Amino acid sequence: MINMTGRRIVVALGGNAILAKDASAEAQQRALQETARHLVNFVKEGDQLIITHGNGPQVGNLLLQQAAGSTETNPPMPLDTAVAMTQGSIGYWLQNALTTALAEQGLSSDVATLVTQVVVSDDDPAFTHPTKPIGPFYDLTAMQKINATHPEFEFVEDAGRGFRRVVPSPRPVDVKEAGVVKAMVNAGIIPIACGGGGVPVVSSHNQLIGREAVIDKDFASEKLAELVEADLLIILTAVDHVYVDFNQPTQRALTKVAIDELREYVTDGQFAAGSMLPKVEAAMAFVTHRPTGQAVITSLENLADYVQTGSGTVISSQALVTDYD
């Protein structure tokens, strides 16, 4: 068993990092094998690792598969159950990949996937305004065909890449199994938790009741990191840094930034609502609740450089100097 006495780190993996164009189990497992090799670097440093992940593409595909094959006697499962199902499948692949990657480095640690329930408010306005994209992209003709069969589905055009189904995305209030995650880390186990943002549940009369929604994995990861008293929250995305004036001649990469300055960039509309904004907001929320901690936004490919040199966008409660590249 590894003696993990270093920093307590929550690493949030994006669902799109697990699934690109090839939706086969084999392709997703290969992607996670590469991901695991990056994550092992933290274990080698003696850090306490907690892994979370998205599931937007996977849960959307699962819902389509269920809808296509459903019958009156074999009905499709509701969205909250589909989230739990993808927690299990992605977690299974990831814990196996991590076990292999640890062995390749001569390390040994237990890795376990935890079906995680994330409490949301029944009054959250997100339930009447779906915004969370799930599943694959469609062109206009394909989207209209699906909508004709499933008029209850809502679609939006997503960043010029086509149409995607959207579902409610309420904000997390609590993570039911946060204490279990903490106990696992204290026992030297690497937990995989809050998969797909967690199974969305509301609390009612001593019961937890699932809701048809997908919670943003960055906000769920922040809430978990806050509750387990993490030292560091790492949010992985497609770029090495957060940029201001993105794709403009004045574009700058933020390397070290205080939350007060980052908040000004949010107010100025620097970050896209469906892309970088939730990651920035989650990072700021974590540092606000854990003033001694830090949040990092970077890419999976840059993770090794971050471990070695601190490369990436590092958000702190206060930064002596804000750095740009």
Side-chain angles (χ1 to χ4, degrees), residues 112 192 201 293:
I192 301 167
V201 296

Side-chain angles (χ1 to χ4, degrees), residues 202-234:
V202 296
S203 181
S204 176
H205 299 64
N206 297 320
Q207 284 186 305
L208 293 177
I209 302 170
R211 291 299 308 266
E212 290 267 329
V214 172
I215 301 168
D216 186 280
K217 72 97 175 51
D218 296 319
F219 290 124
S221 300
E222 184 283 321
K223 180 58 66 174
L224 179 64
E226 174 191 332
L227 293 172
V228 301
E229 301 176 310
D231 301 299
L232 183 64
L233 169 64
I234 300 177

Side-chain angles (χ1 to χ4, degrees), residues 21-143:
K21 293 182 179 180
D22 187 345
S24 69
E26 293 79 11
Q28 294 185 72
Q29 287 172 296
R30 285 194 299 271
L32 285 168
Q33 287 164 3
E34 182 61 29
T35 297
R37 293 187 182 99
H38 289 285
L39 295 175
V40 164
N41 288 321
F42 292 106
V43 182
K44 288 170 66 177
E45 296 293 319
D47 292 321
Q48 301 173 351
L49 190 61
I50 300 166
I51 303 166
T52 65
H53 62 82
N55 74 339
Q58 293 85 356
V59 76
N61 288 346
L62 177 58
L63 291 173
L64 287 173
Q65 291 164 1
Q66 291 191 132
S70 64
T71 64
E72 188 174 337
T73 56
N74 185 29
M77 294 295 103
L79 182 51
D80 59 308
T81 301
V83 171
M85 292 165 73
T86 54
Q87 278 191 7
S89 60
I90 296 172
Y92 155 60
W93 294 332
L94 182 53
Q95 69 185 43
N96 275 354
L98 265 172
T99 299
T100 299
L102 289 164
E104 289 174 348
Q105 296 294 322
L107 303 170
S108 175
S109 178
D110 290 329
V111 185
T113 299
L114 181 66
V115 175
T116 315
Q117 301 171 97
V118 174
V119 181
V120 300
S121 171
D122 217 7
D123 298 326
D124 194 303
F127 285 114
T128 56
H129 296 89
T131 59
K132 179 69 175 174
I134 62 171
F137 292 92
Y138 301 99
D139 61 25
L140 180 60
T141 301
M143 182 273 289

Side-chain angles (χ1 to χ4, degrees), residues 147-267:
N147 220 189
T149 306
H150 298 283
E152 73 278 12
F153 288 2
E154 294 192 41
F155 290 86
V156 297
E157 197 276 332
D158 189 338
R161 295 176 289 178
F163 293 86
R164 292 182 81 186
R165 184 186 171 192
V166 289
V167 298
S169 184
R171 291 293 182 99
V173 175
D174 193 14
V175 178
K176 181 66 173 65
E177 289 78 19
V180 179
V181 172
K182 202 170 184 178
M184 291 170 71
V185 172
N186 290 339
I189 300 167
I190 300 174
I192 301 167
C194 284
V199 179
V201 296
V202 296
S203 181
S204 176
H205 299 64
N206 297 320
Q207 284 186 305
L208 293 177
I209 302 170
R211 291 299 308 266
E212 290 267 329
V214 172
I215 301 168
D216 186 280
K217 72 97 175 51
D218 296 319
F219 290 124
S221 300
E222 184 283 321
K223 180 58 66 174
L224 179 64
E226 174 191 332
L227 293 172
V228 301
E229 301 176 310
D231 301 299
L232 183 64
L233 169 64
I234 300 177
I235 298 174
L236 298 181
T237 185
V239 291
D240 294 351
H241 297 87
V242 177
Y243 291 89
V244 292
D245 298 341
F246 187 62
N247 276 343
Q248 299 177 34
T250 53
Q251 172 178 296
R252 295 169 295 163
L254 299 175
T255 57
K256 294 183 178 67
V257 61
I259 55 173
D260 287 344
E261 183 173 354
L262 202 54
R263 195 172 287 115
E264 292 179 8
Y265 293 137
V266 171
T267 302

